[in-house]
Amino acid sequence: MSNQPTATFQTPACFVCGRVSLIELPAATAAALSAGVAVQHLLPAMPRPEREQLISGTHPACWAAAFGEPDET
Ligand SMILES: [Zn+2]
């Protein structure tokens, strides 16, 4: 599993700070995301703020600054 190929996925620009993020993902996951597969299906264990960053590009810290801390148990 350690030699699983990875790919760099570029998120959309964060609407708060305007910067994109480059996130290293398994190659198959990055390809599926680029093809439009919903991130919650691909990465169900990923914390919601990080999924939000993949989908919208909004950084967890920027989201918290704009809207307050995510209301998650
Ligand atoms: Zn940001």
Side-chain angles (χ1 to χ4, degrees):
M1 304 304 170
S2 59
N3 61 354
Q4 185 177 34
T6 61
T8 303
F9 180 80
Q10 181 175 316
T11 71
C14 172
F15 83 96
V16 179
C17 71
R19 284 180 290 190
V20 301
S21 299
L22 298 174
I23 299 177
E24 199 78 10
L25 293 171
T29 302
L33 273 177
S34 297
V37 178
V39 65
Q40 62 265 34
H41 293 313
L42 293 168
L43 300 164
M46 178 177 274
R48 188 172 175 179
E50 293 177 34
R51 292 205 306 252
E52 185 63 35
Q53 183 181 353
L54 284 173
I55 297 165
S56 70
T58 309
H59 303 110
C62 290
W63 185 271
F67 299 112
E69 293 296 328
D71 191 19
E72 190 165 26
T73 54

